[in-house]
Each structure stands twice: as C-alpha cells, then as structure tokens.
Amino acid sequence: MSEEEIEDKDINKIRRESRSIFFWGVGLFALLIILVGSTAWYIVSDPELSYISRFTYTMGLIGYNYPDHWDPDRMVQKAREAVQEELDRYSFYLEQREMTRVGEEFEGSYGGIGITISEHNLGLMIMTVRPDGPAAAAGLRTGDIILSADTVSLAGLDAYEATFVLRGPEGTRVGLKVFQHDSNDTLNLELIRQRLPLIHIPYAGVTENGSLYVRLLDFEYGATRDFFGAVDSLFELKKDSIRGLILDLRGNPGGLLDEALNTADLFLEQGKLIVGTRGRSRWVEEAHFATDGDIMEGKPMAILVDGNSASAAEIVAGSLKYAGRAILIGDTTFGKGLVQEYRGFDDGSGMRLTRSRYYFEGDRFINTLGAEKIDSGAGIPPDYYIASRDYEPFIRELENSFLLRQFAEINRDDLVQYAPFKDASPEWLARFKEFAAGNGFTYASEVSQLALLTRTLASFEGYSAASWQAIDRICTLARRQDSLRFDVCRDYIGRRLYELALESKFGLAESYRRAIVPYLPEVIEAERVMYQEK
C-alpha cells in the first residue's frame, strides 16, 4: 500500500472518530440540559426547597435594597424566633454554648470551679462550695459574693447567664474578684477550672426511725448509678434496721428519660410497666417495662414531691405510684408529661423538640399534646397532701433577700449550739428581726399593696370621710398583719438559721443530717404513713 493510501485511510479514521465525538458531545449536552431542567423543575416544585429558595431570594432583595439595614445574622435569628413561636413552649433553638451545656448533662460532668450561685445586687452569691473543687482550694465559702470574672462585672447578671462566664474548658484560668462578708475584704484570685462530675445526691442517710432517706436533685447522666450506689450500700449495711425508703424529688426538674427509666426499674418487678410514650406518629410509640427485681425487697417506699417536680421526676413518681409500689407525699407535681429530644446542627447549635407524651399504668396521661402550648398539664396528685412553706410570699421574699444566709454566716459558731433550736428561737428571732431591719428589709403583702393602691386612687376620686376612714383602717390592719409574719414563721426561720449555720461550718451533708431531715414535715408524714398505718 502506497503512502498516499495509508494517509487517506488515517484521515478517514480521524473523521469518523470526530463525528462520533461530536454526536456523543451533542447527546451529553442534551442530557445535561434535560437534567438541569429536571433539577430546576424539582427545585421549583418541591415545597421545602421552594421555601428555602424564597427565603434566600427575600434576603437577597433586602440586602440589595436596604444595604444600611443588612444584618443577615440578626435577620436569620428573627426568622428562627418567628418559627419557634409556632411550636410548643418546650421546643426551642439552642445556641452553641447552650448545646455545650446539654452535652455536659449527657456526659455527667462540666468544666468549672465547683460552686453553686444565686443572684445578688453586687454580683453572685456563693450558695454551696464543693470540697473537691478549685473554689474550695482557694478558700471561697458560702456567702461570699463574686463581683466579677475575667473583668466581666457580674452585677445584674442572672445565675444562668453567669455560669457561661464561670464555666469553661478544663485547665483554663478564670480571674475572680470576691467580697467576703466576715472579713470585709475584697480578694483577687485566679482559679484553674477542672473537670467536675455533676452532684446528683447531696445527702443520703438513715433517719432515727429507720428510713433510708435519699435526696435526688436531677436525672442527668449518672443519676441512677449514684442513686443505686447510695441505696445499695446503706441497705446492705443496715438491712435489718432499715424499715423503708424515702426518695426526695422536691424541686427535681427532671433530665434524661433513660435515667428515669433505670431508676424506676430498681423498684419494680419484672414485666411491670414503667412508662409508655405516645407521639404524633405511630413511629414514636414505645412502652418500657421493668427488667429486674425490687432492690428494697418490697419494703415501704415514699416519694416526696412538689410543684417543681417535673419531667423525668414525674416519670419516676408516677410509675411507682400507679404501679402500687410507692406513696406520694407533698404537693401536686408540675404536670409536664412530655418527652423532648435534641437535634444538633453542623455549626454546633441545635434544637430541642417535643417528641411525645407519656402515660402510666392504666393509660393515665398527665398532659396532652395540645396542653404544652398554653400551660402544663394536671400533674400527679400526692396520696397525702402537705403544702410547702417555701412558696409562701413572705418566706420567698425573705429567702431572696439572702439575709438568713448572711446572718447565719456571721453567727454560725453560736447558732450550731442551739439544736433543735426551739428554746432559743425567741432570742434569735429578735436578733434576726433587728438584723433584717438594719439591712432595709421590709415586707408588704398583696393585701397591703392593694390597700395602699386603693388609698392612692381614692385621693383622686373625692371619696367621703367615712370611705377614707375605712381605707385607712384596712391599711393599718394589713401592715399589722405583715409585721407579724416574723412571729408566724418563727419555727421556719429558726430551722433555716440552724441549717445554714451547720452547712457553713460542717458542710451540706451535716446540715441535712442534723437540721433538715429530722424536722422536714414531709419526712415526718411519710414515716407516719409507712409505719403507723400498717
């Protein structure tokens, strides 16, 4: 074959390959057009993607036409809040720092200095100090006031927000400015945060009447482990002398569902219903049954509850009550009756969403899926009702003033000698009343406030002399009743001073053992019911 023929053959081959590539290219291009068109049609037709598209387009228009008002972070936050308002009051968005706090609850520990705090007009008052934490090592005590942390003033900051300043990664430093009442000194300290396990049980012990008493503060990660450890060790040590169990869930806000299930499971025979959950979809319907036997071997059991016992605390109280295993002493529980779940986002933030409501033996619900939008449900009623004095207006105002704690701090060495504090009450009450007055404490009941308001309004209405005399009489009587509140609450004030003095001098556990448990009305009633009615 000549060179010309070979060259013609190669040219024809190249032409065929070129035509093939061309047709493949046209075909691929047409396919791409179809795919792009289909995707575009899918985007336009899919409701969820359409919503995103419209929102993004709206943001773009605002940015173009209102450049001076363009703040995308704030706008997204406003949009998120608007969507959140359509949900129930237990479902909401969580910022990164809040999701970090949720993670601590699931892990059962946190990075901090080992204190609990309450708001104070100067900053934050230390309520308790952990003996194993950096604060205790630095010499901080209950009653001290933290004025600032890392140059951030804590005055006016609520306790929840302040924890984001005081807590932080393990090993990091935090500078504190602290005022100490007893020495009237202001200290500048630098503490190193450490990893601290959550304290679920501040006290567990045996009463004089043979009751195993356990105070359980929450149902965060590790609560069941600590609770079982406390009950098992004390029961095995004093099995012959222990007559029953008192579980104190007053003020317990709840926590993790699994912890509540595991705690209730400790006292129910295998196969007993602990709790069931029922949601908007059949996919979230569940029923949880006991798997083990009763670790207390059937001995009487009482659970102390109040209006702040909620969520997981209600699961434990309700499951044991309706299964016939325990009696409830105190006040009706909060009535949440709902189960939440957490969903995290890529940026570290997340959402808490209501998943379902729960029910007990006999298909008993304490809430409905609609109730959470307006208020809590009916709650779980106690078997024996005792009104908590902690919520009386005068006592609540006195506690919020922190004067009881301050007075106890100043006089703790003398106060701890007056157990059970009855004979010395009049003397100490007079001293405390003088102390409170000297610190500007005044109490005006709702009746006094309404009477004063009526008197003010009467001055503009031209009331008759007889009406004025009647109003003045009401004001006088109301103020007199207010002044008597110290005497009416004398026993409460005496016990609280004794409790706080013991806590300051010997620690919280000793305060529970000597001052709280022996005189707690709910404990006294629980033992009366468990043992005297048998």
Side-chain angles (χ1 to χ4, degrees), residues 115-180:
I115 59 173
T116 60
I117 51 176
S118 278
E119 300 166 39
H120 189 275
N121 59 341
L122 297 177
L124 296 168
M125 178 177 284
I126 298 177
M127 305 303 288
T128 61
V129 181
R130 293 179 56 144
D132 60 343
L140 296 184
R141 300 187 295 270
T142 59
D144 291 349
I145 299 173
I146 305 177
L147 306 175
S148 63
D150 289 337
T151 71
V152 177
S153 174
L154 301 180
L157 202 65
D158 64 55
Y160 178 75
E161 287 295 323
T163 57
F164 292 110
V165 179
L166 296 175
R167 290 187 182 184
E170 181 181 8
T172 58
R173 298 177 182 272
V174 57
L176 301 180
K177 187 176 182 180
V178 181
F179 174 71
Q180 294 189 317

Side-chain angles (χ1 to χ4, degrees), residues 424-498:
S425 290
E427 173 196 342
W428 283 106
L429 180 66
R431 290 179 58 179
F432 178 71
K433 285 176 66 175
E434 183 180 351
F435 175 80
N439 283 273
F441 179 81
T442 58
Y443 173 70
S445 65
E446 186 177 359
V447 174
S448 293
Q449 295 176 45
L450 289 173
L452 184 61
L453 177 61
T454 303
R455 195 177 191 283
T456 302
L457 294 175
S459 64
F460 297 100
E461 298 293 336
Y463 280 27
S464 66
S467 296
W468 270 100
Q469 289 176 359
I471 294 171
D472 282 340
R473 178 64 175 161
I474 293 173
C475 288
T476 301
L477 290 173
R479 285 195 297 267
R480 185 177 301 168
Q481 289 296 316
D482 291 348
S483 67
L484 293 175
R485 296 310 300 171
F486 278 96
D487 295 285
V488 172
C489 299
R490 180 181 65 187
D491 290 341
Y492 177 91
I493 293 172
R495 284 197 301 271
R496 281 293 286 153
L497 291 175
Y498 184 48

Side-chain angles (χ1 to χ4, degrees), residues 201-216 226-249 266-267 294-304 325-327 512-513 517-518 520 522-524 526-527 530-531:
I201 300 176
Y203 178 75
V206 180
T207 72
E208 291 184 358
N209 290 320
S211 299
L212 202 169
Y213 169 92
V214 183
R215 178 80 164 110
L216 187 56
D226 292 354
F227 177 67
F228 173 76
V231 173
D232 185 60
S233 60
L234 287 170
F235 186 59
E236 289 300 322
L237 183 65
K238 302 181 178 182
K239 181 179 292 189
D240 294 336
S241 60
I242 288 179
R243 303 167 66 190
L245 171 66
I246 299 175
L247 172 57
D248 192 345
L249 297 182
L266 297 174
F267 305 102
D294 182 357
I295 65 170
M296 285 295 294
E297 300 177 358
K299 289 183 181 290
M301 181 175 181
I303 302 177
L304 311 186
R325 179 62 186 90
I327 57 172
Y512 266 97
R513 187 181 72 83
V517 177
L520 196 63
E522 290 87 347
V523 170
I524 296 171
E527 292 186 325
M530 286 195 297
Y531 309 138

